[in-house]
Amino acid sequence: MTKRTVLWLVAAFLYLIFAYWYTNTEGPLTGQEIETLLDDLSAAGYEDRQLERLRGFMEGDTGRQFIMLNNIDLNETPPGVEGAEPDADAEDLMSLYMEYMWPALFRRACHPVYMGGSVYRAMDMVGIENAEVWDQGALMRYRSRRDMLEIVSNPVFRGRHDFKMAALDKTIAYPMENVLYFSDPRFLLALILFSLASLLDLLLYRRG
């Protein structure tokens, strides 16, 4: 086997390993999984109206990745929360919330796609009130609905979620499935590996 063949096999192997981890290969949630998750969510303290909303979300599962769109308006004078410093501001409280979320997200190939601060109030607003002012916006990629539900059904999440709720004056978050998604890391990694392998292949060819 030549060095050039090994080079391309290694590049292909690395890509396949990443793509397998990054892609949901288990398909949509099954009926049994839904009932088990609902039991876990109920045990974690979710209310009936929340469980009903999450049931609809799970029953509509397509097995595909999705993006959670988050609009965030931070509370300038957040209330005290058990487990946080008495003078903790909204950013401090969100950091406490994300201490749980970051590891839970990254283990499941979930991550931010875009995060940024607002530079002006809402430019278009129809049919809703008190939605002109937002502080931040974020797009969070989830590998599957299963992954998201595993994160939020953990009893630890409920305690951490209190920090988030205290940090917010208002928020809107809803899931979207991709139609156009040019920044998919699987596509970007394929381009990077192909470019690097092509460059090394060219060097080996010249030497050979």
Side-chain angles (χ1 to χ4, degrees):
M1 186 179 295
T2 66
K3 292 182 179 179
R4 295 174 68 190
T5 301
V6 171
L7 170 66
W8 284 102
L9 287 176
V10 168
F13 177 75
L14 291 174
Y15 177 76
L16 290 173
I17 289 295
F18 176 81
Y20 179 78
W21 170 73
Y22 195 79
T23 305
N24 175 35
T25 58
E26 299 181 60
L29 287 163
T30 65
Q32 182 58 54
E33 284 181 302
I34 291 173
E35 296 306 320
T36 299
L37 283 167
L38 287 171
D39 288 342
D40 292 341
L41 290 163
S42 179
Y46 284 79
E47 300 175 357
D48 289 343
R49 61 180 181 81
Q50 295 172 308
L51 293 175
E52 194 60 32
R53 179 180 298 175
L54 289 169
R55 176 187 286 276
F57 178 63
M58 289 187 276
E59 289 177 344
D61 190 10
T62 62
R64 297 177 57 197
Q65 67 177 355
F66 70 94
I67 304 292
M68 187 71 78
L69 183 151
N70 298 270
N71 291 328
I72 298 168
D73 183 25
L74 296 174
N75 191 337
E76 295 182 2
T77 56
V81 183
E82 183 178 354
E85 295 294 331
D87 59 346
D89 61 17
E91 294 286 356
D92 295 331
L93 293 171
M94 287 298 290
S95 294
L96 289 171
Y97 168 67
M98 294 308 296
E99 279 181 3
Y100 165 75
M101 288 297 292
W102 288 130
L105 288 165
F106 290 142
R107 280 198 304 270
R108 298 170 174 84
C110 307
H111 59 84
V113 173
Y114 176 85
M115 301 178 71
S118 172
V119 296
Y120 198 63
R121 62 179 180 269
M123 304 296 286
D124 284 314
M125 189 176 67
V126 177
I128 53 177
E129 297 180 358
N130 191 31
E132 288 189 353
V133 178
W134 301 98
D135 290 318
Q136 301 172 4
L139 301 175
M140 189 72 70
R141 183 264 183 180
Y142 287 87
R143 181 172 57 184
S144 70
R145 303 189 194 194
R146 179 183 291 104
D147 289 298
M148 194 202 84
L149 270 297
E150 287 177 354
I151 292 172
V152 303
S153 62
N154 188 324
V156 176
F157 173 81
R158 292 295 289 174
R160 292 287 178 160
H161 196 249
D162 291 340
F163 296 131
K164 177 183 177 181
M165 292 297 98
L168 299 177
D169 187 38
K170 62 179 181 292
T171 187
I172 296 175
Y174 63 88
M176 307 178 293
E177 286 196 352
N178 308 327
V179 177
L180 294 175
Y181 186 31
F182 296 122
S183 58
D184 191 316
R186 286 166 293 191
F187 175 68
L188 298 177
L189 180 63
L191 289 179
I192 293 170
L193 287 175
F194 178 79
S195 299
L196 290 175
S198 297
L199 178 60
L200 292 173
D201 190 14
L202 181 60
L203 294 174
L204 290 173
Y205 176 75
R206 287 180 175 178
R207 289 181 181 179

